[in-house]
Amino acid sequence: MADGVISDYISPAEEIQTESGEITADNLLDEVSLYNLYDSRESPEQDAERILNITYPTETLKTIIKRTGEKFDSTTSVSEGAHIIGGEFGSGKSHIELVLYHLLSSPGIGEEWLAENDIEASLPSEAQTAALQMLNLDSDYDKLHVAVGDYLGIEEWQEGDPPGVHEIRDSLEDQPTAVFIDEFERWFGMSGRSDYRDDNLGFLQNLLEAAGRDDTPLTVFVSLLFEEADVEAILPRTNPFRHDLSRRRDEKIRFLLHRLVGDVKDPDGLASLAQEYTDVYRNNGQIQLSDYQDMEDRIEQYYPFHPLALDTLMDKFSEQQGHQDARGLLHLLTEILADNFHEVDLILTGDIDVFEYTGWFRFIDGELVSKYLNDYHRLGEATSDERGGEKTFEPHIEELLNIVLLHSLARGGEEGANKRQMLMGTMRKGKNAHEIIQTFTEDLFGHAWHVFRINGEYAFDTDENPAARIEKKAEDIHKNTAIHRVERLITDDLFDGHNNVHILNPVNTEQDIPDNKTLKIVVSLSAKQSQQAYNQQFEDLTTGQEREFNNTLVLVSPQKRSSVDSNSGIRELARKVVAGEELDREEEVLPDGFDDIHNQNYQNLRDRVRDKFGTVHTSTERGLVPQDISVSGNMDFYTATIEEIRPDSSQVRSEVKEAVEDAKGGGIQYQHLLNDFYRDTKYTTLTEEQELKDAIQSLCRDEVIKAGSYFGERVGSIGSDTVLVHEDYVQTVEDDDDDETTTITVDATATGGVSGGGSSGGVETSSGTDEAGETASGAGQVFACPQCGDELQGTSCDCGFEFDASDIKEGNVTVEGGDASTLVETFEEEDLEGSTTSRFPVMGELDADDKPSLIDSLERELGIEWTIHTVNLSYTGTLTADGVASRGLDADSLADQVEVDETLTISPDEPLSRDSLLNEVLLRLDVPDDASFEVWLEVEKGE
């Protein structure tokens, strides 16, 4: 709002100012007593000028004054002079009587006051008065007529029966007279006067009737609480003027403000301030007023109090039986004004410091205030270690507590404050309405044990609400249990319960992320980190754990620089959710509204956690690449993550084409290509296997690769053993398949590769003799591959050509320029007639730099139907401490210093299958971590 404060717009009334100008209630005349008029010592009530200066001329007071003047004016036709002034304690009855007393008793001062307030009334200059505050009379009277007669100096009324109407007229002797009777009902109802009830009622009736005669210059003012039926019964008979101050709310407010406010120093600024507040309300959709101009006018009229604040206090003070109403409220408002005079520009409901003024509010509803104090101390944080130290609160919390308590007083559990009242009790220009309501729903409601939601309003109650049950239970929930609940919320709710979603480093459970070909989403709860940190996390998960299928992991992390698991707000909400779930399991009967509060806690927790995510990091050869996850509508994070990381089909096509092309003419089996995608992070991460098959289908239809027997058409099926061949090698393979016989060419003089070609024909066994007399089958013979022309180093070639002894025996492979038996002998094949096993690889050994590479190579090269008869395995490496100790050496001194070079020969009684060799022998083989291998096998290939 404007930069000013209350002191810039108004000055306080003189009555509440100290000599230094400070505001104080010490000198406030907040209660008047008629009996002090007759005190021998000076009293404020005796000071006519002071009493009139603090008096605001309400419409009720003006009416009484005018009718009193007319009663004493012989030129008018008004005869009625009896007035009944009704209202609760402290409503101002005695004050009105005191004002009238001074107007009649001090006519000079009275005429000035009437003129200053533009009240046209002519009062008698010489009137006799009697002011009787019945519970504090100078003597102990049992009869009303005796007391009145004594105060008026009428001696004949001291004896005998009560005077009648004519006797009253005659006793006054035409002198203008005013009789004020205060607190009559309580005096009349005392048991000690029960014998005089008829006399007292009779005289009161006679007195009122006399005041209604035009021949009797008498006015009578009687203040009543309307507590005695007998007293009320005489009123219709006398027909007095009746003034009910309880219904004069606007007059009370003007009276209060008159007592508090001196001068308006800046009326234009005050008008501008009222407009600014009203504009705030106009621009907020949650504050919908029926008449904004009326609110603007009332802000000016009620200043320095907001109309809602003053109305609320008026309601709570005036509704209570026996409370001091305006009288007590005046003192409280003075204290509130003093506290805010230099602090705010307008006193809102939230600015009323309930904690500071609990003494006043205890009188209205002591039990409810005690519950408020309980929540006040729990929600506030002490700024001092001393008991009872001052409390500090997060923004809006204390103000909202004040508002809810004030609206709940005397109506606990039935009425409270709605959102409009909470906003109007805290809103100023520049404050965010959404933030205020969010603070209440998230940080106050559910934390305050005695605040309930009732029909759209929030109210204090003496009972504990369901949130209190949850809150108390939550205090016993361990931090890790709360974090574990957040983890389950992430996997079960945000990621829709998919079993391939895992939490990174979970609490209370072991991390168990399977090493398989299924895509796995790993969710981190830590705050946003550098990309280098995410790369390290991924490395720890994959190579750090010696995983095989490294390209099946993606990492999802928060988008913001605040952790999910260390966020205190999230942990507290999670504690409440766990507490609610435990109470639901353990308790047979729970308070009404429990489900609503528990569900709200869960929704708040879900929203807070959901708001933290997310970014997904996918692997590449250069490290992880972050991508923002976009979640909209009812989409869950799992679906959104899959949509974000789903590979581009053209990228998968490109990678498949390159891999098949690198395999040259021999092609690559589908199962090996699939494994490469799952293992190697240089490939795109697949979300499902079908993405790879779709790429193969597309490439095959476009005649880029051949899949099995399919080329340039849709692939009927893709199996594990389906061979994928690049288009550059497809024609060569087709030509070879058309030939019934393959011919291997021999160059007896060459020392390197030769060129040759294939031809059809039977098995040739003849041998020639060169000029030196040596056979062509000598050591100088070189066998050329019939497909690519390169020198054969074994029974298979890099281009994909391969043969065995059965091919030679059956005539499928012939030798041109040499002897077929020499071919077998050269490559260490067994006798053509009886050979059933062969060495693998045919020449040399298979090398590998580590055990996973060895297993991977054998899995690729060995046929699924092959059986292994002999394994010859050599390896070298450096022994760790365990390896050194297992050999009986000093592990401490020799660890990492002993080189081992060992050869194992395995000849099982029953041949091993490929899977048995890989999984039961090699996978379990205990060798040094840095071991390198050489291996050859005796295998039987079967059919």
Side-chain angles (χ1 to χ4, degrees):
M1 308 303 292
D3 294 332
V5 291
I6 296 172
S7 60
D8 295 321
Y9 298 103
I10 64 169
S11 60
E14 292 184 7
E15 182 186 10
I16 60 172
Q17 284 193 68
T18 63
E19 292 182 359
S20 61
E22 297 298 318
I23 297 175
T24 178
D26 292 345
N27 299 322
L28 188 67
L29 185 59
D30 55 355
E31 180 178 0
V32 296
S33 300
L34 297 183
Y35 67 84
N36 284 330
L37 290 169
Y38 304 101
D39 195 349
S40 58
R41 298 183 181 182
E42 291 185 3
S43 68
E45 287 88 345
Q46 297 171 358
D47 189 341
E49 188 172 358
R50 177 177 180 181
I51 295 299
L52 292 175
N53 282 339
I54 66 174
T55 299
Y56 178 78
T58 64
E59 290 302 317
T60 299
L61 180 56
K62 289 179 181 179
T63 299
I64 297 174
I65 292 172
K66 289 179 180 179
R67 287 176 176 168
T68 301
E70 292 169 347
K71 168 65 178 177
F72 289 121
D73 187 351
S74 60
T75 63
T76 67
S77 59
V78 176
S79 60
E80 293 82 1
H83 297 265
I84 301 299
I85 304 173
E88 306 92 345
F89 286 107
S91 59
K93 302 184 299 296
S94 299
H95 189 92
I96 286 179
E97 291 180 317
L98 184 60
V99 170
L100 290 165
Y101 173 88
H102 282 299
L103 289 174
L104 294 168
S105 300
S106 303
I109 297 174
E111 286 179 5
E112 291 180 7
W113 184 83
L114 292 173
E116 289 174 359
N117 291 280
D118 297 325
I119 302 174
E120 295 182 2
S122 177
L123 299 176
S125 59
E126 295 181 359
Q128 65 174 343
T129 57
L132 290 79
Q133 188 168 8
M134 300 303 296
L135 290 179
N136 286 281
L137 298 175
D138 292 335
S139 301
D140 187 13
Y141 300 100
D142 290 326
K143 296 180 181 182
L144 179 62
H145 70 279
V146 174
V148 174
D150 196 8
Y151 273 71
L152 288 175
I154 303 174
E155 294 183 2
E156 58 263 34
W157 290 5
Q158 302 303 308
E159 301 291 340
D161 295 328
V165 173
H166 292 161
E167 291 176 285
I168 294 173
R169 177 196 62 193
D170 295 342
S171 297
L172 297 180
E173 299 177 348
D174 293 329
Q175 183 179 3
T177 303
V179 176
F180 302 91
I181 301 175
D182 195 15
E183 296 186 343
F184 173 74
E185 291 160 299
R186 297 174 67 186
W187 175 85
F188 170 78
M190 288 184 174
S191 59
R193 297 187 181 90
S194 58
D195 293 339
Y196 307 99
R197 288 177 67 89
D198 292 341
D199 285 349
N200 290 329
L201 279 175
F203 176 72
L204 180 61
Q205 181 174 333
N206 292 341
L207 195 64
L208 294 174
E209 288 183 4
R213 294 173 61 90
D214 57 6
D215 61 353
T216 306
L218 171 66
T219 56
V220 178
F221 303 91
V222 182
S223 65
L224 295 178
L225 296 168
F226 300 114
E227 293 180 345
E228 279 285 346
D230 289 343
V231 175
E232 289 188 64
I234 69 171
L235 300 183
R237 304 172 198 165
T238 58
N239 195 30
F241 293 114
R242 300 180 65 153
H243 312 279
D244 188 352
L245 301 186
S246 301
R247 299 178 182 179
R248 302 290 185 173
R249 183 189 191 89
D250 57 337
E251 294 187 352
K252 293 180 186 177
I253 290 172
R254 286 177 172 79
F255 162 75
L256 291 168
L257 295 174
H258 177 78
R259 300 287 298 276
L260 295 172
V261 178
D263 297 323
V264 176
K265 295 159 57 175
D266 183 6
D268 293 337
L270 181 55
S272 176
L273 182 71
Q275 183 179 352
E276 285 186 10
Y277 269 94
T278 310
D279 287 343
V280 169
Y281 303 152
R282 281 193 181 98
N283 296 327
N284 189 282
Q286 298 186 74
I287 302 177
Q288 296 182 352
L289 303 178
S290 58
D291 191 337
Y292 290 95
Q293 186 59 51
D294 176 67
M295 175 55 68
E296 184 176 332
D297 294 340
R298 293 179 69 213
I299 290 176
E300 285 192 69
Q301 295 167 8
Y302 280 55
Y303 198 80
F305 292 90
H306 190 285
L308 181 61
L310 192 50
D311 283 343
T312 301
L313 290 175
M314 287 288 295
D315 287 341
K316 300 308 173 181
F317 271 71
S318 62
E319 288 178 359
Q320 302 314 302
Q321 186 72 23
H323 203 285
Q324 296 303 296
D325 195 12
R327 179 194 305 161
L329 185 55
L330 177 60
H331 197 111
L332 172 61
L333 293 179
T334 304
E335 294 185 6
I336 295 173
L337 178 60
D339 289 341
N340 290 277
F341 195 60
H342 300 290
E343 302 297 327
V344 299
D345 54 11
L346 178 65
I347 299 173
L348 308 180
T349 316
D351 296 323
I352 300 172
D353 191 344
V354 175
F355 180 75
E356 182 72 20
Y357 313 126
T358 48
W360 291 100
F361 298 118
R362 280 185 189 276
F363 188 87
I364 299 175
D365 195 333
E367 188 174 7
L368 202 65
V369 169
S370 69
K371 302 304 181 184
Y372 155 84
L373 291 174
N374 181 287
D375 283 330
Y376 178 91
H377 288 296
R378 282 195 329 98
L379 294 177
E381 183 175 327
T383 58
S384 166
D385 291 335
E386 299 177 6
R387 184 177 179 85
E390 184 179 351
K391 302 287 184 178
T392 58
F393 295 84
E394 293 298 317
H396 311 309
I397 293 292
E398 186 175 14
E399 294 94 326
L400 291 167
L401 272 177
N402 293 338
I403 293 167
V404 175
L405 187 276
L406 289 173
H407 282 275
S408 304
L409 283 172
R411 304 287 182 90
E414 299 176 4
E415 291 183 9
N418 56 35
K419 287 185 178 180
R420 177 196 293 173
Q421 291 163 335
M422 285 191 283
L423 288 174
M424 293 181 71
T426 52
M427 280 287 289
R428 288 184 161 91
K429 187 176 181 180
K431 286 196 174 183
N432 186 294
H434 175 72
E435 177 185 324
I436 292 171
I437 296 301
Q438 185 178 25
T439 297
F440 181 83
T441 55
E442 293 187 8
D443 301 327
L444 194 154
F445 182 57
H447 296 264
W449 289 359
H450 298 88
V451 175
F452 286 73
R453 189 172 189 271
I454 304 167
N455 299 323
E457 297 181 341
Y458 296 89
F460 267 95
D461 200 352
T462 53
D463 295 330
E464 287 186 359
N465 62 23
R469 297 282 294 275
I470 294 174
E471 187 95 10
K472 286 183 177 179
K473 185 76 172 178
E475 293 176 356
D476 299 328
I477 304 301
H478 192 274
K479 176 185 72 173
N480 285 353
T481 304
I483 296 173
H484 183 61
R485 184 62 185 89
V486 173
E487 294 172 349
R488 287 197 294 113
L489 182 148
I490 292 171
T491 56
D492 297 349
D493 189 330
L494 299 189
F495 284 85
D496 202 31
H498 290 269
N499 58 11
N500 60 325
V501 178
H502 306 272
I503 300 296
L504 180 65
N505 301 322
V507 299
N508 292 356
T509 55
E510 294 292 331
Q511 181 164 288
D512 183 20
I513 305 175
D515 186 15
N516 57 30
K517 300 175 183 179
T518 301
L519 175 71
K520 292 162 284 292
I521 298 175
V522 182
V523 184
S524 171
L525 274 62
S526 299
K528 184 177 181 180
Q529 305 173 44
S530 67
Q531 205 55 45
Q532 182 179 0
Y534 288 125
N535 289 340
Q536 184 60 51
Q537 286 183 348
F538 188 79
E539 184 177 345
D540 293 342
L541 277 174
T542 54
T543 57
Q545 298 182 15
E546 297 185 351
R547 303 177 70 87
E548 179 180 4
F549 301 107
N550 293 338
N551 203 33
T552 61
L553 297 176
V554 296
L555 187 65
V556 172
S557 68
Q559 235 174 3
K560 302 180 179 180
R561 295 192 179 279
S562 59
S563 298
V564 176
D565 51 355
S566 63
N567 184 287
S568 58
I570 288 177
R571 280 209 308 266
E572 291 308 308
L573 275 173
R575 280 192 169 101
K576 292 180 185 178
V577 170
V578 174
E581 291 168 345
E582 290 186 0
L583 286 171
D584 194 34
R585 289 193 302 268
E586 298 168 0
E587 302 286 344
E588 293 184 4
V589 179
L590 290 168
D592 291 339
F594 173 86
D595 289 341
D596 290 341
I597 292 177
H598 174 61
N599 292 337
Q600 185 64 53
N601 284 337
Y602 182 84
Q603 191 60 47
N604 289 343
L605 175 63
R606 185 183 186 277
D607 291 345
R608 291 282 291 272
V609 174
R610 187 179 189 273
D611 185 55
K612 296 291 183 183
F613 290 100
T615 302
V616 59
H617 308 262
T618 52
S619 57
T620 68
E621 284 186 296
R622 301 180 303 278
L624 298 182
V625 175
Q627 299 165 264
D628 289 340
I629 302 172
S630 177
V631 181
S632 58
N634 296 324
M635 183 181 292
D636 58 83
F637 269 92
Y638 183 85
T639 303
T641 301
I642 295 298
E643 289 299 316
E644 190 62 43
I645 67 173
R646 192 181 302 281
D648 181 74
S649 58
S650 62
Q651 179 66 23
V652 182
R653 272 177 53 105
S654 175
E655 292 176 357
V656 171
K657 175 184 175 182
E658 183 178 351
V660 173
E661 189 174 14
D662 289 345
K664 298 183 179 180
I668 184 172
Q669 285 187 357
Y670 171 75
Q671 62 176 337
H672 298 310
L673 178 63
L674 179 62
N675 286 342
D676 285 344
F677 266 85
Y678 287 144
R679 288 169 176 150
D680 198 336
T681 56
K682 75 176 183 180
Y683 291 109
T684 299
T685 301
L686 301 175
T687 63
E688 56 180 346
E689 184 181 348
Q690 189 61 43
E691 292 159 352
L692 182 61
K693 289 185 175 181
D694 289 344
I696 293 171
Q697 285 276 11
S698 174
L699 290 168
C700 184
R701 287 196 303 268
D702 294 344
E703 296 188 357
V704 178
I705 66 172
K706 179 180 179 183
S709 61
Y710 299 94
F711 188 64
E713 59 183 321
R714 177 175 176 77
V715 181
S717 63
I718 301 177
S720 298
D721 295 333
T722 298
V723 177
L724 310 174
V725 181
H726 191 267
E727 61 177 330
D728 292 346
Y729 301 96
V730 169
Q731 190 60 46
T732 300
V733 173
E734 288 179 345
D735 291 344
D736 291 343
D737 288 344
D738 292 339
D739 295 338
E740 295 182 359
T741 303
T742 300
T743 300
I744 298 176
T745 304
V746 177
D747 185 349
T749 62
T751 59
V754 298
S755 61
S759 63
S760 61
V763 177
E764 298 185 11
T765 59
S766 60
S767 60
T769 304
D770 61 18
E771 296 178 357
E774 296 179 350
T775 65
S777 61
Q781 291 184 356
V782 174
F783 297 93
C785 173
Q787 283 189 179
C788 64
D790 289 344
E791 178 183 352
L792 285 174
Q793 301 296 326
T795 58
S796 63
C797 181
D798 290 340
C799 71
F801 172 72
E802 62 179 346
F803 69 97
D804 58 22
S806 62
D807 291 324
I808 298 174
K809 181 178 180 181
E810 294 171 2
N812 295 327
V813 175
T814 63
V815 177
E816 181 179 342
D819 191 341
S821 60
T822 304
L823 177 65
V824 174
E825 179 181 342
T826 299
F827 297 123
E828 302 185 15
E829 289 282 347
E830 294 186 358
D831 176 53
L832 286 175
E833 298 295 330
S835 176
T836 59
T837 65
S838 61
R839 174 169 167 165
F840 171 83
V842 177
M843 297 185 63
E845 291 84 10
L846 188 148
D847 298 330
D849 293 332
D850 51 53
K851 189 164 71 171
S853 298
L854 174 66
I855 294 173
D856 182 64
S857 298
L858 289 175
E859 183 180 20
R860 290 172 180 267
E861 300 294 339
L862 294 177
I864 188 65
E865 74 284 356
W866 294 8
T867 55
I868 295 90
H869 292 258
T870 304
V871 181
N872 189 280
L873 177 69
S874 299
Y875 61 87
T876 61
T878 305
L879 293 179
T880 61
D882 291 341
V884 171
S886 67
R887 288 166 170 77
L889 302 175
D890 184 355
D892 293 336
S893 61
L894 297 178
D896 299 324
Q897 299 184 32
V898 177
E899 299 288 337
V900 62
D901 186 349
E902 298 178 345
T903 299
L904 305 176
T905 300
I906 304 171
S907 301
D909 293 336
E910 295 291 335
L912 300 171
S913 67
R914 183 187 70 171
D915 289 344
S916 296
L917 171 67
L918 298 178
N919 298 326
E920 298 178 13
V921 177
L922 297 183
L923 193 61
R924 299 182 180 183
L925 184 65
D926 184 17
V927 296
D929 293 340
D930 63 346
S932 58
F933 299 85
E934 295 179 349
V935 64
W936 62 267
L937 316 172
E938 282 290 335
V939 301
E940 183 175 359
K941 298 181 179 180
E943 295 299 329

